[in-house]
Amino acid sequence: SHLQTKLTHEEDFARVSIKMKIDEIIKQFMRKNLTVQIDKDYQLKVFDENRNEASKSTGENQLLGLAFTGAIADFAKDRQHEESDVLLSGTEAPLVVDSPFGHLDPAYRRGVANFLPKLASQVILLVSTSQASPEVMDELDGKIGAQYILISHNKDGSGDKKAEEISINGKMFDLTKYNQEFTGTLLEEVI
């Protein structure tokens, strides 16, 4: 039927567009010369230059997953003004990523910090103190609209626990506060 043909065409177009964006990211930021294939169920397979399925390190898997997620967000953003008799138009939504730099070495951290902000108009990164490394923060310099820290409040005293601090823009912040009125987490904007 006409609708089935149109839907198949739209799905093929989506897979090709997402594949091209991922290949572009891989070419720019990955050490290995890889290409991707996305099957009809949107499963991602990665191939080396000899067209053999490539094995990937933990960091490469994480980079590919972030590239895939970002490419989907980018595709939805590009489709936001499209008219279709089969599909709803795309949307421009924030891209929220938790711990994107966890298993990445410094070069891949820089790459992810470079490409993620380009794929959505608003990117929300949830990072630990170790993930907010100098190479990440240098790459994000000038791209950060707002920064927040999560501060753990505890009614109890600190005992022998060492202070947890983070330095942001040359200013030190306590990440854990003791002898507080409540136990919980407080979100504080870094100004």
Side-chain angles (χ1 to χ4, degrees):
S1 78
H2 168 71
L3 284 177
Q4 186 60 45
T5 302
K6 181 84 171 156
L7 183 60
T8 300
H9 171 75
E10 293 284 352
E11 287 179 346
D12 290 344
F13 179 72
R15 275 192 292 277
V16 168
S17 299
I18 292 166
K19 174 209 172 345
M20 288 173 56
K21 179 57 75 175
I22 296 169
D23 281 342
E24 179 185 316
I25 291 167
I26 288 172
K27 183 176 235 173
Q28 187 172 1
F29 296 107
M30 231 179 203
R31 293 182 188 99
K32 296 178 183 173
N33 185 19
L34 303 174
T35 57
V36 299
Q37 182 180 40
I38 302 172
D39 69 16
K40 65 179 181 64
D41 296 320
Y42 289 87
Q43 295 296 314
L44 188 70
K45 290 189 178 181
V46 182
F47 297 92
D48 63 20
E49 62 275 358
N50 298 319
R51 300 294 301 152
N52 296 319
E53 196 162 350
S55 60
K56 302 167 296 299
S57 70
T58 303
E60 289 166 341
N61 270 328
Q62 185 170 3
L63 189 142
L64 283 166
L66 291 166
F68 186 53
T69 302
I72 291 170
D74 187 58
F75 179 73
K77 179 181 69 172
D78 287 349
R79 286 195 71 260
Q80 67 181 321
H81 302 295
E82 297 250 340
E83 297 285 332
S84 171
D85 56 352
V86 178
L87 300 175
L88 295 172
S89 59
T91 187
E92 188 165 4
L95 179 58
V96 180
V97 188
D98 186 12
S99 301
F101 309 107
H103 298 289
L104 302 177
D105 65 25
Y108 283 174
R109 285 180 181 205
R110 275 191 297 276
V112 169
N114 180 288
F115 75 71
L116 275 182
K118 296 175 183 175
L119 299 177
S121 62
Q122 183 182 30
V123 179
I124 300 168
L125 301 175
L126 304 172
V127 297
S128 65
T129 53
S130 63
Q131 289 184 28
S133 61
E135 63 271 2
V136 167
M137 298 314 289
D138 288 348
E139 190 63 49
L140 292 174
D141 189 39
K143 300 173 189 169
I144 298 173
Q147 287 184 18
Y148 299 86
I149 54 174
L150 298 172
I151 301 172
S152 175
H153 281 235
N154 296 289
K155 285 184 177 180
D156 297 332
S158 65
D160 292 336
K161 296 177 184 139
K162 292 186 177 188
E164 294 179 82
E165 297 177 320
I166 187 170
S167 175
I168 301 175
N169 302 329
K171 186 176 175 187
M172 293 301 289
F173 296 89
D174 289 324
L175 293 177
T176 306
K177 294 184 178 182
Y178 298 96
N179 300 314
Q180 300 297 305
E181 292 180 17
F182 69 97
T183 295
T185 303
L186 184 70
L187 184 70
E188 183 177 307
E189 184 173 5
V190 175
I191 299 176

